[in-house]
Amino acid sequence: VQLQASGGGLVQAGGSLRLSCIASGGSISNYGMGWFRQSPGKEREFVAFISWSEGRKYYADSVKGRFTISRDNAKNTGSLQMNTLKPEDTALYYCAADSRAHSYSTWYQRSREYGYWGQGTLVTVSS
């Protein structure tokens, strides 16, 4: 499975962007999907997660209420709608996916638990 993230860009604070993650080379319908971001000099951090059935969605506290994660299994895609963007949201955003069973319930917050990654898409929010 290959993942390709897109949709990043330059936006003013308060604006919106929608990131997309397109999967190829196989179906991700039974994969959990996550979004992470990384700013210069910082570690990659969890942003949002959606389970394969869309039954579970989780968000980092810093984006809760502003970002919405979704997926379309029929189209083999995932999305991250980002509203009310802030300068501190500036980062390289990555989509990730994994289908394995995990031994603890918060596995989705840890980048090392994902086996498949897209390249990053840069989001820059100006003040």
Side-chain angles (χ1 to χ4, degrees), residues 6-8 16 21 23-24 27 30 35-37 42 45 73 75 78-79 88-90 97 100 109 115 121 123:
S6 62
S16 299
C21 182
S24 60
S27 172
N30 62 337
W35 287 91
F36 288 76
R37 65 187 183 187
K42 295 186 178 181
E45 65 173 356
N73 287 337
K75 295 182 179 179
S79 296
E88 50 264 44
D89 294 320
T90 295
R100 298 167 294 176
Q109 297 178 352
T121 184
V123 173

Side-chain angles (χ1 to χ4, degrees), residues 16-63:
S16 299
L17 281 174
R18 186 178 182 86
L19 305 184
S20 296
C21 182
I22 300 174
S24 60
S27 172
I28 57 167
S29 60
N30 62 337
Y31 285 57
M33 293 186 65
W35 287 91
F36 288 76
R37 65 187 183 187
Q38 188 167 19
S39 304
K42 295 186 178 181
E43 293 186 356
R44 192 169 297 188
E45 65 173 356
F46 167 74
V47 175
F49 170 83
I50 185 168
S51 64
W52 69 271
S53 65
E54 303 182 67
R56 292 179 295 135
K57 298 180 182 180
Y58 302 113
Y59 299 92
D61 288 342
S62 58
V63 307

Side-chain angles (χ1 to χ4, degrees), residues 49-107:
F49 170 83
I50 185 168
S51 64
W52 69 271
S53 65
E54 303 182 67
R56 292 179 295 135
K57 298 180 182 180
Y58 302 113
Y59 299 92
D61 288 342
S62 58
V63 307
K64 203 171 293 183
R66 300 187 298 122
F67 290 13
T68 302
I69 191 171
S70 62
R71 66 187 297 162
D72 187 334
N73 287 337
K75 295 182 179 179
N76 228 24
T77 61
S79 296
L80 184 69
Q81 177 66 42
M82 306 186 297
N83 298 329
T84 319
L85 283 161
K86 304 176 181 180
E88 50 264 44
D89 294 320
T90 295
L92 202 56
Y93 282 71
Y94 298 89
C95 61
D98 200 84
S99 64
R100 298 167 294 176
H102 297 269
S103 60
Y104 56 107
S105 61
T106 58
W107 68 269

